[in-house]
Amino acid sequence: MIKFLDLQRINAQYKEELQNAFNRVIDSGWYILGEEVKRFEEEFADYCGVEHCVGVANGLDALILIFRAYKELGMMQDGDEIIVPANTYIASVLAISANNLVPVLVEPTLDFYNIDPALITAHITPRTKGILAVHLYGQLADLSAISIIAQQHGLKIIEDAAQAHGASKEGNKAGSLGDAAGFSFYPGKNLGAIGDGGAVTTNDNLLAKTIRALANYGSEIKYQNEYQGVNSRLDELQAALLAVKLKYLEKEIERRRAIANQFINGIKNPHVSLPKVKDQNSHVWHVFVVRVKERERFQSYLTANNIQTIIHYPIPPHQQKAYQHLNHLSLPVTEKIHKEIISLPISAVLADKDVEKIIAVINSYAE
């Protein structure tokens, strides 16, 4: 079976360095908010090209804390609206509603799967305070167009960069393209921990300071609490392991791009719609998504040929039970995407022979 994602092989590449980092943390006797976290925050901030990185417990918390900080700073309040792509993973929407803000769902483009900038302005009201730009599947949202809209209407741009570590536009990386960004280091991400983790990146000094306090029980000084905060901290062990893997992220991205190019150039089946790319540097191929009309049949066919696939994601947020008040919405582009998409295996350790097999099997598929 060609695995969708072989985490064991991915981490085995760096086993000795990871083991050394693990041992260093264990031997240090310091496991929360120590030198490992400080070092990784500095290295990841430098990698993204920003002033600040604040390590947190996971990617969802990263986004939640950004909105929470804006509320604490008086820039947002309960009932304010945040524009968000309708076809995103539900975590993007959860981060908005967790702060008593209102998610306003906007359709994506069918070509690139990211929010359609041409549709944003029509959804802006006096209560709109921000745009959550999701870099879905590893491809940057159209920040050039979104930034113009945000400037015209005085809106914050928050990047959901959970799938886009290393994606760049004109030399500027994800995490530096808006007012703040949330990252996830879930094990399956391009930069994945061996456990959970997340981070916020920003050039806003006050925002970073506020998020850091909020994530540490609302405290900057021990036992003095400025906010009713939470406990959401990247731990020393995950920070040390991530620092090892960060050194190899660019190499892994290049391998992912090479595989994606093989798929795009090799898959010729007219029943399979391939992803489109505006700029190679803007896409890091967290997942390689295709669309087929008979998805279940196609997935069963690939499974029978020992190719594992995953669906990202079968049910859009507005059709989830958790958001019953949005179930009435009609979002045809989003619904088409969620009905037809399926993700093929792609990772830095996927062998050329496996890539060739996937291409050959798909080209032999008939509806």
Side-chain angles (χ1 to χ4, degrees):
M1 175 69 74
I2 299 174
K3 291 184 178 181
F4 175 75
L5 185 63
D6 194 336
L7 288 176
Q8 288 175 304
R9 285 188 63 203
I10 289 171
N11 291 319
Q13 301 173 100
Y14 319 120
K15 185 174 182 179
E16 183 176 351
E17 288 184 76
L18 292 170
Q19 190 67 58
N20 289 339
F22 180 89
N23 292 339
R24 185 175 67 246
V25 174
I26 295 297
D27 293 344
S28 74
W30 194 292
Y31 308 124
I32 300 290
L33 296 183
E35 290 302 313
E36 300 289 350
V37 169
K38 181 180 178 182
R39 185 181 303 114
F40 174 72
E41 287 178 339
E42 291 173 352
E43 291 175 357
F44 194 65
D46 183 64
Y47 176 79
C48 293
V50 294
E51 291 294 321
H52 303 283
C53 169
V54 182
V56 297
N58 54 68
L60 175 57
D61 279 5
L63 294 175
I64 288 175
L65 286 163
I66 291 170
F67 290 115
R68 172 74 187 280
Y70 278 133
K71 290 182 68 179
E72 294 290 352
L73 294 171
M75 298 177 186
M76 296 179 185
Q77 60 184 353
D78 286 2
D80 282 345
E81 297 171 354
I82 306 296
I83 287 172
V84 61
N87 64 316
T88 186
Y89 180 54
I90 199 169
S92 310
V93 185
L94 290 171
I96 298 168
S97 57
N99 281 286
N100 293 319
L101 301 170
V102 179
V104 177
L105 305 181
V106 175
E107 290 266 58
T109 66
L110 192 58
D111 284 341
F112 301 105
Y113 302 123
N114 283 324
I115 193 168
D116 188 344
L119 302 179
I120 291 176
T121 302
H123 291 80
I124 294 174
T125 76
R127 295 306 301 268
T128 307
K129 291 299 187 293
I131 301 171
L132 183 54
V134 182
H135 307 314
L136 197 63
Y137 308 145
Q139 180 160 220
L140 292 180
D142 187 351
L143 265 298
S144 296
I146 292 171
S147 295
I148 293 171
I149 297 167
Q151 289 170 9
Q152 290 173 340
H153 296 272
L155 307 178
K156 295 293 184 185
I157 297 176
I158 300 94
E159 297 175 74
D160 183 340
Q163 302 183 6
H165 317 70
S168 66
K169 179 178 175 59
E170 298 174 353
N172 299 309
K173 284 190 169 66
S176 71
L177 302 171
D179 295 288
F183 284 90
S184 167
F185 302 125
Y186 181 78
K189 303 298 185 184
N190 290 16
L191 179 60
I194 304 180
D196 226 332
V200 174
T201 59
T202 184
N203 285 313
D204 186 326
N205 297 338
L206 184 56
L207 184 70
K209 180 182 178 182
T210 305
I211 290 171
R212 194 174 294 281
L214 284 168
N216 188 35
Y217 298 98
S219 172
E220 288 184 62
I221 302 172
K222 196 169 185 179
Y223 302 131
Q224 295 182 27
N225 303 80
E226 298 177 52
Y227 310 103
Q228 296 178 21
V230 297
N231 176 5
S232 181
R233 303 174 298 203
L234 182 66
D235 68 67
E236 286 286 280
L237 181 58
Q238 297 303 337
L241 300 174
L242 284 165
V244 171
K245 297 182 73 175
L246 179 59
K247 295 186 298 183
Y248 302 101
L249 179 57
E250 287 296 316
K251 182 189 76 172
E252 293 208 0
I253 289 171
E254 287 308 310
R255 176 58 182 156
R256 285 175 175 272
R257 285 176 176 154
I259 293 169
N261 283 334
Q262 284 182 267
F263 283 150
I264 290 170
N265 293 325
I267 296 173
K268 304 296 185 182
N269 193 318
H271 301 299
V272 178
S273 297
L274 296 170
K276 295 184 179 179
V277 185
K278 288 186 176 180
D279 169 26
Q280 274 288 5
N281 290 327
S282 75
H283 208 319
V284 292
W285 300 102
H286 170 58
V287 288
F288 189 96
V289 171
V290 300
R291 293 197 330 272
V292 290
K293 290 185 178 179
E294 297 180 5
R295 181 173 63 192
E296 287 71 23
R297 184 172 180 273
F298 180 70
Q299 187 172 41
S300 296
Y301 168 78
L302 292 180
T303 301
N305 282 276
N306 295 312
I307 299 170
Q308 186 180 42
T309 57
I310 291 180
I311 297 169
H312 295 94
Y313 307 95
I315 306 172
H318 74 282
Q319 293 183 336
Q320 297 282 359
K321 184 178 180 181
Y323 288 99
Q324 290 185 48
H325 64 288
L326 300 177
N327 287 174
H328 69 283
L329 293 177
S330 175
L331 298 164
V333 177
T334 291
E335 289 158 18
K336 177 180 177 64
I337 289 170
H338 284 261
K339 184 179 179 181
E340 296 181 354
I341 52 172
I342 183 168
S343 300
L344 306 180
I346 187 169
S347 80
V349 297
L350 188 64
D352 282 337
K353 64 180 179 62
D354 291 332
V355 176
E356 291 164 4
K357 176 181 176 179
I358 293 167
I359 291 170
V361 168
I362 290 176
N363 284 339
S364 297
Y365 169 76
E367 287 192 335

